[in-house]
Amino acid sequence: MELEQGDAVLCTVERVDKTIVFVNVEGIGSGSIVTSEIAAGRIRNLRDYVVPKKKIVCKVLRISPSGNIELSLRRVSQKEKKEVLEKYSQEKGYISILNTILKDQAEKAIQEIKKQDTVHSFLQEAKENSAKLENIVGKKDSEKILEILNTQKKKIASIKKEFHLITNEPDGVESIKKILCEIKNAEIKYISAGKYSIKIEAEDLKIADNKLKENLDNLEKQAKKYKLDFSIKEK
């Protein structure tokens, strides 16, 4: 799993050393948080916010040349925190399924899966294409695992973004209508002059995010083709 700036990640606090908090980023490696990124305003005692072994959700600020992940606790929204903790809960549930089906071979399979992605994301994608899972655990056990996953109640992840499409061309309005009509598996809403929103739903947040990026990239290409001004509203 590769991290990018702005990603929200689950961390375990390892130690608090004066003005720096050292953490382990789940499934990735070591990270650190400076005091100013713990909370807004003056902090009298770091341990009011972080204590060793506590799990916290942080946002990636940057990754140093040495590989240290610089993080922020205070910049994480409640929505991001909820999503990461929900995914962590699902991850534990999926690992439990692998342990039940694979028994002594579970740990080896989990390590192989983690070389490619998180267990949660890997198994979510396996629902659509089981080839990679079959390569690791075999066809028989793959079918057993997917049977359990498919009987579980599905949770839907939703992601939304605002964008602008503006035109001064004589036939610009028709061009906008044409572009928006070509978008598939997404909900488009008109907000106000030149302003729209796009909403994607999927069983997994990562899949929804990838579909959103794909649609927005497509919109940008089409906008250039029809000489429209396109921009994405950043939070």
Side-chain angles (χ1 to χ4, degrees):
M1 178 183 175
E2 292 186 6
L3 288 182
E4 295 181 0
Q5 184 177 344
D7 283 350
V9 292
L10 185 68
C11 305
T12 303
V13 178
E14 292 188 331
R15 71 182 194 278
V16 180
D17 186 2
K18 296 180 181 178
T19 60
I20 300 178
V21 178
F22 294 94
V23 302
N24 177 60
V25 183
E26 195 81 17
I28 303 294
S30 299
S32 60
I33 318 168
V34 296
T35 305
S36 60
E37 291 297 337
I38 296 294
R42 185 179 178 186
I43 299 174
R44 294 182 181 277
N45 187 354
L46 276 178
R47 291 177 183 270
D48 289 340
Y49 300 89
V50 289
V51 291
K53 297 185 180 180
K54 180 180 179 180
K55 291 195 178 297
I56 56 176
V57 178
C58 298
K59 182 164 286 192
V60 177
L61 296 179
R62 64 191 67 84
I63 301 174
S64 70
S66 64
N68 180 63
I69 305 163
E70 297 176 28
L71 302 154
S72 172
L73 178 61
R74 70 180 179 87
R75 303 190 194 206
V76 177
S77 68
Q78 285 301 313
K79 181 182 177 183
E80 289 170 325
K81 182 178 179 180
K82 181 182 177 183
E83 288 172 348
V84 170
L85 291 177
E86 281 182 356
K87 185 171 284 190
Y88 172 66
S89 176
Q90 290 175 327
E91 178 96 349
K92 288 199 299 182
Y94 282 14
I95 288 174
S96 177
I97 291 170
L98 292 176
N99 284 324
T100 300
I101 301 298
L102 303 176
K103 298 182 171 56
D104 293 342
Q105 298 301 311
E107 188 56 36
K108 182 181 177 182
I110 290 167
Q111 293 307 315
E112 285 298 314
I113 288 171
K114 286 184 175 181
K115 288 177 183 178
Q116 301 180 49
D117 209 333
T118 64
V119 174
H120 175 265
S121 293
F122 184 91
L123 292 183
Q124 284 287 357
E125 291 181 11
K127 292 180 182 181
E128 303 296 328
N129 184 353
S130 62
K132 288 182 180 180
L133 180 60
E134 289 177 12
N135 286 338
I136 294 174
V137 305
K139 187 174 179 63
K140 186 177 179 181
D141 284 334
S142 173
E143 288 175 350
K144 289 180 182 178
I145 292 165
L146 293 175
E147 183 180 356
I148 294 173
L149 292 178
N150 289 325
T151 57
Q152 292 181 329
K153 186 178 179 181
K154 295 180 180 179
K155 289 188 176 181
I156 302 298
S158 176
I159 190 165
K160 188 177 180 181
K161 202 83 171 176
E162 287 186 16
F163 64 92
H164 294 84
L165 267 179
I166 302 170
T167 179
N168 293 316
E169 299 292 318
D171 58 348
V173 174
E174 291 303 315
S175 297
I176 289 175
K177 287 180 181 179
K178 183 177 179 180
I179 291 172
L180 296 182
C181 285
E182 290 176 356
I183 296 175
K184 306 297 181 184
N185 302 315
E187 180 184 329
I188 303 292
K189 284 189 176 180
Y190 173 79
I191 300 174
S192 61
K195 188 186 295 184
Y196 305 84
S197 69
I198 179 171
K199 180 181 176 183
I200 300 283
E201 291 186 341
E203 288 182 43
D204 179 79
L205 186 63
K206 182 180 177 181
I207 294 173
D209 189 49
N210 286 339
K211 287 182 178 179
L212 180 67
K213 287 178 180 176
E214 185 180 331
N215 274 299
L216 289 172
D217 287 344
N218 234 358
L219 275 169
E220 186 172 14
K221 289 176 184 176
Q222 291 297 312
K224 287 180 180 177
K225 178 180 175 181
Y226 289 98
K227 298 179 181 179
L228 308 173
D229 291 328
F230 173 80
S231 62
I232 300 169
K233 181 180 178 183
E234 301 295 343
K235 291 183 179 180

